[in-house]
Amino acid sequence: MNNLFGQTFNDTLKDINLKPANSINLDGGERTISFLAGSYLLYKSLKNITKHPLLGLQGAAAGGLLIYRGASGVCPLYQRLGIDTTDPEAIHISETITVNAPREKVFAFWRELSNLPKFMAHLKTVTETSDTTSHWIANTPGNLIPLSWNAEITHEDENKYIGWQSTTGSMIENAGKVEFIDTLNTIGTQLHIEINYFPPAGSVGKGIATIFNGLFEKMIREDIQSFKNYAEHADFMNYAGLQIDN
């Protein structure tokens, strides 16, 4: 039985290319666990190698593989399966809505970024720090992870287009744009909205990505759609100087 196990294990070792064929595919947390587990297994195996030589050698080899996995950040098995835990999945949102308000008024409301939390539940505050820069704080489901970032407006065409992105060093990389188009009757406005969030790499990024790919993404999509209702609310009507029906 031991000989059969040993032969199978040795065959597996031969099949594994220890030279990193690609870039690092393990995040920091998984590397640490692999290194510690490998070190412990190697220690226990060498300690008992005189009592159980075959099992001791096999355990030492397995421990060495785990140490290599942790030290190099490369997992050959993950390479074969196409798994990369350093690259959390981003979310890409694209929505189109139409509101019954003039394009100039809708643009002005969105351009004043501090207005966004009025209808976007996933945003706690947006503070404008200059004509083109701002600080954003997000509400996450259960407030599990505090998220904030700085952003700058990268492109603006008055009454037609706003584009922004997070600044260098922000916890969350993100970018977005909104296009404002007259409806056929020129009374309303069609908004084409695109928002992209890119969680950071590593264990924290994996945790954030878990939120993004579930409830948080759902919140953002609902927030965008909720502007249709907010545009008929008294607050927006007063802001835009529109007549409120009694």
Side-chain angles (χ1 to χ4, degrees):
M1 181 69 177
N2 284 341
N3 289 336
L4 178 60
F5 176 81
Q7 183 61 43
T8 302
F9 186 83
N10 290 333
D11 290 342
T12 301
L13 288 181
K14 292 178 182 178
D15 289 339
I16 295 178
N17 178 14
L18 294 182
K19 183 178 180 180
N22 298 309
S23 58
I24 292 173
N25 60 4
L26 296 176
D27 70 14
E30 195 166 353
R31 291 179 66 176
T32 299
I33 292 172
S34 291
F35 189 86
L36 293 177
S39 299
Y40 177 77
L41 181 58
L42 180 62
Y43 166 75
K44 294 291 289 185
S45 298
L46 293 178
K47 183 178 180 181
N48 297 319
I49 196 168
T50 55
K51 295 180 180 179
H52 306 285
L54 181 58
L55 291 177
L57 288 174
Q58 292 168 352
L65 283 176
L66 287 172
I67 291 173
Y68 163 81
R69 188 175 186 268
S72 68
V74 175
C75 176
L77 178 60
Y78 278 13
Q79 287 178 345
R80 293 181 180 182
L81 298 177
I83 298 174
D84 185 349
T85 61
T86 68
D87 186 21
E89 185 178 353
I91 61 171
H92 308 282
I93 295 173
S94 179
E95 298 281 343
T96 298
I97 59 175
T98 301
V99 297
N100 190 28
R103 175 165 51 90
E104 294 79 5
K105 300 296 185 180
V106 176
F107 176 90
F109 182 84
W110 278 75
R111 180 59 180 83
E112 191 173 336
L113 300 177
S114 58
N115 284 327
L116 299 183
K118 293 180 179 180
F119 67 92
M120 288 190 165
H122 84 280
L123 293 176
K124 185 175 182 179
T125 60
V126 178
T127 304
E128 295 178 85
T129 53
S130 75
D131 289 342
T132 58
T133 60
S134 52
H135 181 69
W136 302 53
I137 300 177
N139 289 315
T140 58
N143 292 316
L144 296 176
I145 302 177
L147 299 180
S148 64
W149 62 90
N150 295 317
E152 61 181 349
I153 292 177
T154 55
H155 182 73
E156 178 179 355
D157 189 352
E158 188 174 4
N159 299 328
K160 295 180 180 179
Y161 182 96
I162 302 174
W164 72 90
Q165 68 178 22
S166 57
T167 58
T168 303
S170 292
M171 181 180 184
I172 301 296
E173 292 185 15
N174 64 84
K177 66 178 183 179
V178 183
E179 296 179 82
F180 304 83
I181 305 169
D182 285 330
T183 56
L184 292 178
N185 60 10
T186 69
I187 297 176
T189 305
Q190 183 181 84
L191 295 85
H192 179 62
I193 303 164
E194 293 186 17
I195 300 177
N196 301 294
Y197 281 94
F198 304 91
S203 299
V204 174
K206 288 175 65 179
I208 295 174
T210 300
I211 295 175
F212 275 16
N213 294 336
L215 296 176
F216 195 57
E217 179 177 357
K218 183 174 182 290
M219 286 174 62
I220 297 173
R221 292 188 183 278
E222 290 177 348
D223 283 350
I224 293 173
Q225 293 297 326
S226 72
F227 183 66
K228 295 172 63 175
N229 294 328
Y230 185 80
E232 299 176 358
H233 192 273
D235 286 349
F236 178 81
M237 301 288 279
N238 288 330
Y239 176 91
L242 301 174
Q243 182 177 354
I244 302 175
D245 295 332
N246 295 324

